[in-house]
Amino acid sequence: MELQDIGSLAGRIKDNIAKVIVGKEEIIDLAMICLITGGHMLLEDVPGTGKTVFARALASSVDCSFHRIQFTPDLLPSDVTGINFFNQKENNFVFRPGPIFSNIVLADEINRATPRTQSAMLECMEERQVTIDGETRGLSAPFLVMATQNPVEIQGTFPLPEAQLDRFLMKTSMGYPDTREGINILKRFKENNPLAELKAAAAASEIIEASRLYSQVKVSDDILEYITKITEATRKHPNAHLGVSPRGALALLKAVQVYALLKARTFVTPDDVKAMAAPVMAHRIIPKGLSTENVSASDKIISDVLAHTAVPLEQAE
């Protein structure tokens, strides 16, 4: 695979997902960026907007294993990671892997789990490994966690701490379809479920190869300075209690590199940075006097920062 082939690979997968998901091209692009960079996605939306169907369609399109975990207050860390149990027949301990040992994991309503169970996800998401009874086991690539949380129902939930939010490359929402999309959804699912007939459009090995190559996308020093100035400005903004960390700046860099490939380019432009700024940075900003859940206030801070940061001249390859 060549660097420029990543865009066509993503195009095949997007077209395949579009056989199930109506519209949502931008959300599919963000999911592709997360999958290729090895990042994770947090979907904040009300029930019934297609989050589970979207995750299943993505897993089927790249021929990957998929598991859904329904997070509840009584969910234990071992229910996620797995457990060693004693096999009386063989007279020894046998490891039973949990659902986290999948390529694509849907963590449904992650904010309903206790902090102890939420923290069990940290090593999995960041280190791509699980340690149980002193033994470390690696997770297979590609590995993507798509977590959801309901912004409406907050009773009985445990808000994700900043350290947990920072593990997600992006935070976005599916949103309700417009009238035309709603009609197309009814037509598409009227007689059968297209998800059941969906075939793989790419192999997992192709995603792994794309993950190895995308860092070769050219990023000029001016673009690197632009990213740095934007993240620094979020920390100095008068309405921000907490701005974007260096980890957030690195996440933005990775995102814009893949985004450029999706736009059939092997170099990054300032418009790429602007397009990825909100999905990557909004959940990493804590507005003053507001909770981390107030993404709209974070979006306003990002818009203000982008408007007042000097844009470098675009440099082609």
Coordinates of all heavy atoms in Angstrom, one line a residue, residues 27 30 34 40-45 111 147-151 160 162 165-174 276-285 291-296 298-299 302:
I27 N -19.5 12.2 10.3 CA -19.2 11.3 11.4 C -18.4 10.1 10.9 O -17.6 9.6 11.6 CB -20.6 10.8 12.0 CG1 -21.4 12.1 12.4 CG2 -20.3 9.9 13.2 CD1 -20.8 12.9 13.5
L30 N -14.8 11.0 10.7 CA -14.2 11.1 12.0 C -13.9 9.7 12.5 O -12.9 9.4 13.1 CB -15.1 11.8 13.0 CG -15.4 13.3 12.7 CD1 -16.3 13.9 13.8 CD2 -14.1 14.1 12.5
C34 N -10.2 8.0 13.5 CA -9.9 7.3 14.8 C -9.4 5.9 14.6 O -8.5 5.5 15.2 CB -11.2 7.3 15.7 SG -11.8 8.9 16.4
H40 N -9.7 6.8 19.9 CA -11.0 6.4 20.3 C -12.0 7.5 20.2 O -11.7 8.7 20.2 CB -11.0 5.9 21.7 CG -9.9 4.8 22.0 ND1 -10.0 3.6 21.4 CD2 -8.7 4.9 22.6 CE1 -8.9 2.9 21.8 NE2 -8.1 3.7 22.5
M41 N -13.3 7.1 20.1 CA -14.4 8.1 19.8 C -15.4 8.1 20.9 O -15.8 7.0 21.3 CB -15.0 7.8 18.4 CG -16.2 8.7 18.1 SD -16.9 8.4 16.5 CE -15.8 9.3 15.5
L42 N -15.8 9.2 21.3 CA -16.9 9.4 22.3 C -18.1 10.0 21.6 O -18.0 11.1 21.1 CB -16.5 10.2 23.5 CG -17.5 10.4 24.6 CD1 -17.9 9.1 25.2 CD2 -17.0 11.4 25.7
L43 N -19.2 9.2 21.6 CA -20.5 9.7 21.0 C -21.4 10.1 22.1 O -21.9 9.3 22.9 CB -21.1 8.6 20.1 CG -20.3 8.2 18.8 CD1 -20.9 7.0 18.2 CD2 -20.2 9.4 17.9
E44 N -21.7 11.4 22.1 CA -22.7 11.9 23.2 C -24.0 12.2 22.4 O -24.1 13.1 21.7 CB -22.2 13.1 23.9 CG -23.1 13.6 25.0 CD -22.5 14.7 25.8 OE1 -22.5 15.8 25.2 OE2 -22.0 14.5 26.9
D45 N -25.0 11.3 22.7 CA -26.3 11.5 22.0 C -27.4 10.7 22.7 O -27.1 9.9 23.6 CB -26.2 10.9 20.6 CG -26.8 11.9 19.6 OD1 -27.7 12.6 19.9 OD2 -26.2 11.9 18.4
N111 N -20.8 6.3 31.0 CA -20.9 7.1 32.2 C -21.8 6.5 33.3 O -22.0 7.1 34.4 CB -21.3 8.5 31.9 CG -22.7 8.6 31.2 OD1 -23.0 7.7 30.4 ND2 -23.4 9.7 31.4
A147 N -17.3 4.8 22.6 CA -18.1 4.9 23.8 C -19.3 5.9 23.6 O -19.2 6.9 22.8 CB -17.3 5.4 25.0
T148 N -20.4 5.6 24.3 CA -21.5 6.5 24.2 C -22.0 7.0 25.6 O -21.7 6.3 26.6 CB -22.8 5.8 23.5 OG1 -23.3 4.9 24.4 CG2 -22.3 5.1 22.2
Q149 N -22.6 8.1 25.6 CA -23.2 8.6 26.8 C -24.4 9.5 26.5 O -24.4 10.2 25.5 CB -22.2 9.3 27.8 CG -21.6 10.6 27.2 CD -20.6 11.2 28.2 OE1 -20.3 10.6 29.2 NE2 -20.1 12.4 27.8
N150 N -25.4 9.4 27.3 CA -26.7 10.1 27.1 C -26.6 11.4 27.8 O -26.5 11.5 29.1 CB -27.8 9.3 27.7 CG -29.2 9.9 27.4 OD1 -29.3 11.0 27.0 ND2 -30.2 9.1 27.5
P151 N -26.6 12.6 27.1 CA -26.5 13.9 27.7 C -27.8 14.3 28.5 O -27.7 15.3 29.2 CB -26.2 14.8 26.5 CG -26.9 14.1 25.4 CD -26.8 12.7 25.6
L160 N -17.5 11.3 33.4 CA -16.1 10.9 33.1 C -15.2 12.0 33.5 O -15.3 13.2 33.2 CB -15.9 10.7 31.6 CG -16.8 9.6 31.0 CD1 -16.5 9.5 29.5 CD2 -16.4 8.2 31.6
E162 N -11.6 14.2 33.7 CA -10.8 14.8 32.6 C -9.8 13.8 32.1 O -9.5 13.7 30.9 CB -10.1 16.0 33.1 CG -9.2 16.7 32.1 CD -9.9 17.2 30.9 OE1 -11.1 17.5 31.0 OE2 -9.3 17.3 29.8
L165 N -11.6 11.5 29.7 CA -12.0 12.2 28.5 C -10.8 12.4 27.6 O -11.0 12.3 26.3 CB -12.6 13.6 28.8 CG -14.1 13.6 29.4 CD1 -14.5 15.0 29.8 CD2 -15.1 13.1 28.3
D166 N -9.7 12.6 28.2 CA -8.5 12.9 27.4 C -8.0 11.7 26.6 O -7.2 11.8 25.7 CB -7.4 13.4 28.3 CG -6.4 14.3 27.5 OD1 -6.8 15.0 26.6 OD2 -5.2 14.2 27.9
R167 N -8.5 10.5 27.0 CA -8.1 9.3 26.2 C -8.9 9.2 24.9 O -8.5 8.3 24.1 CB -8.4 8.0 27.1 CG -7.2 7.5 27.8 CD -6.6 8.4 28.8 NE -5.4 7.9 29.5 CZ -4.8 8.5 30.4 NH1 -5.1 9.7 30.8 NH2 -3.8 7.9 31.0
F168 N -9.9 9.9 24.7 CA -10.7 9.9 23.5 C -10.1 10.9 22.5 O -9.9 12.1 22.8 CB -12.2 10.2 23.8 CG -12.9 9.1 24.5 CD1 -13.1 9.2 25.9 CD2 -13.4 8.0 23.9 CE1 -13.7 8.2 26.6 CE2 -14.0 7.0 24.5 CZ -14.2 7.1 25.9
L169 N -9.8 10.4 21.3 CA -9.3 11.3 20.3 C -10.3 12.3 19.9 O -9.9 13.5 19.7 CB -8.9 10.5 19.1 CG -8.3 11.3 17.9 CD1 -6.9 11.8 18.2 CD2 -8.3 10.5 16.6
M170 N -11.6 11.9 19.8 CA -12.6 12.8 19.4 C -13.9 12.6 20.2 O -14.1 11.5 20.7 CB -13.0 12.6 17.9 CG -11.8 12.9 17.0 SD -12.4 12.7 15.3 CE -10.9 13.1 14.4
K171 N -14.7 13.7 20.3 CA -16.0 13.6 20.9 C -17.0 14.3 19.9 O -16.7 15.4 19.4 CB -16.0 14.3 22.2 CG -17.4 14.3 22.9 CD -17.4 15.0 24.2 CE -18.8 14.9 24.9 NZ -18.8 15.6 26.2
T172 N -18.0 13.6 19.6 CA -19.0 14.1 18.6 C -20.4 13.5 18.9 O -20.5 12.8 19.9 CB -18.6 13.8 17.2 OG1 -19.4 14.5 16.3 CG2 -18.6 12.4 16.9
S173 N -21.3 13.8 18.0 CA -22.7 13.2 18.2 C -23.2 12.9 16.9 O -22.9 13.5 15.8 CB -23.6 14.2 18.9 OG -23.8 15.4 18.2
M174 N -24.1 11.8 16.8 CA -24.7 11.4 15.6 C -25.8 12.5 15.1 O -25.9 12.8 14.0 CB -25.4 10.1 15.8 CG -24.5 8.9 16.0 SD -23.5 8.4 14.6 CE -24.8 7.6 13.6
M276 N -10.7 20.0 12.1 CA -10.5 19.0 13.1 C -10.4 19.6 14.5 O -10.4 18.8 15.5 CB -9.2 18.1 12.9 CG -9.3 17.2 11.7 SD -10.5 15.9 11.9 CE -11.9 16.5 10.9
A277 N -10.3 20.9 14.6 CA -10.1 21.5 15.9 C -11.2 21.2 16.9 O -11.0 20.8 18.0 CB -10.0 23.0 15.7
A278 N -12.5 21.4 16.5 CA -13.6 21.2 17.5 C -13.8 19.7 17.9 O -13.9 19.4 19.1 CB -14.9 21.7 16.9
P279 N -13.8 18.8 16.9 CA -14.0 17.4 17.3 C -12.8 16.9 18.3 O -13.1 16.1 19.2 CB -14.0 16.6 16.0 CG -14.4 17.6 15.0 CD -13.8 18.9 15.5
V280 N -11.6 17.4 18.0 CA -10.5 16.9 18.8 C -10.3 17.6 20.1 O -9.9 17.0 21.2 CB -9.2 17.0 18.0 CG1 -7.9 16.6 18.8 CG2 -9.2 16.1 16.8
M281 N -10.6 18.9 20.2 CA -10.3 19.7 21.3 C -11.4 20.1 22.3 O -11.2 20.4 23.4 CB -9.6 21.0 20.9 CG -8.3 20.8 20.1 SD -7.3 22.4 20.0 CE -8.4 23.5 19.2
A282 N -12.7 20.1 21.8 CA -13.8 20.6 22.6 C -13.9 19.9 23.9 O -14.1 20.6 24.9 CB -15.1 20.5 21.8
H283 N -13.8 18.6 23.9 CA -14.0 17.8 25.2 C -12.7 17.9 26.1 O -12.8 17.5 27.2 CB -14.3 16.4 24.9 CG -13.2 15.6 24.2 ND1 -12.9 15.9 22.9 CD2 -12.3 14.7 24.6 CE1 -11.9 15.1 22.5 NE2 -11.5 14.3 23.5
R284 N -11.7 18.5 25.6 CA -10.5 18.7 26.4 C -10.4 20.1 27.1 O -9.5 20.4 27.8 CB -9.2 18.5 25.6 CG -9.0 17.1 25.1 CD -7.8 17.0 24.2 NE -7.3 15.6 24.0 CZ -7.7 14.8 23.1 NH1 -8.5 15.3 22.1 NH2 -7.2 13.6 23.0
I285 N -11.4 20.9 26.8 CA -11.5 22.3 27.4 C -12.6 22.3 28.5 O -13.7 21.9 28.3 CB -11.8 23.3 26.3 CG1 -10.7 23.3 25.3 CG2 -12.0 24.7 26.9 CD1 -11.0 24.2 24.1
S291 N -19.3 22.8 33.6 CA -18.8 21.4 33.7 C -18.1 21.0 32.4 O -18.3 21.7 31.4 CB -19.9 20.4 34.0 OG -20.8 20.3 32.9
T292 N -17.4 19.9 32.4 CA -16.8 19.4 31.1 C -17.8 19.0 30.1 O -17.5 18.8 29.0 CB -15.9 18.2 31.5 OG1 -16.7 17.2 32.1 CG2 -14.8 18.6 32.3
E293 N -19.1 18.8 30.5 CA -20.1 18.4 29.6 C -20.6 19.5 28.7 O -21.3 19.3 27.7 CB -21.3 17.8 30.4 CG -20.9 16.6 31.3 CD -20.2 15.5 30.6 OE1 -20.7 15.2 29.5 OE2 -19.3 14.9 31.1
N294 N -20.3 20.8 29.1 CA -20.8 21.9 28.3 C -20.0 22.1 27.1 O -19.1 23.0 27.0 CB -20.9 23.1 29.2 CG -21.8 24.2 28.5 OD1 -21.8 24.3 27.3 ND2 -22.5 24.9 29.4
V295 N -20.2 21.3 26.1 CA -19.3 21.3 24.9 C -19.6 22.6 24.1 O -18.7 23.1 23.4 CB -19.6 20.1 24.0 CG1 -18.7 20.1 22.8 CG2 -19.3 18.8 24.8
S296 N -20.8 23.1 24.1 CA -21.1 24.3 23.3 C -20.3 25.5 23.8 O -19.8 26.2 22.9 CB -22.6 24.7 23.5 OG -22.9 24.9 24.8
S298 N -17.3 25.2 25.1 CA -16.0 24.8 24.6 C -15.9 25.2 23.1 O -14.8 25.7 22.6 CB -15.7 23.4 24.8 OG -15.7 23.0 26.2
D299 N -16.9 24.9 22.3 CA -16.9 25.2 20.9 C -16.8 26.7 20.6 O -16.1 27.1 19.7 CB -18.2 24.7 20.2 CG -18.3 23.2 20.1 OD1 -17.2 22.6 20.0 OD2 -19.4 22.6 20.0
I302 N -13.1 27.6 21.1 CA -12.4 27.2 19.9 C -12.6 28.1 18.8 O -11.6 28.5 18.1 CB -12.7 25.7 19.6 CG1 -12.2 24.8 20.7 CG2 -12.0 25.3 18.2 CD1 -12.7 23.3 20.5

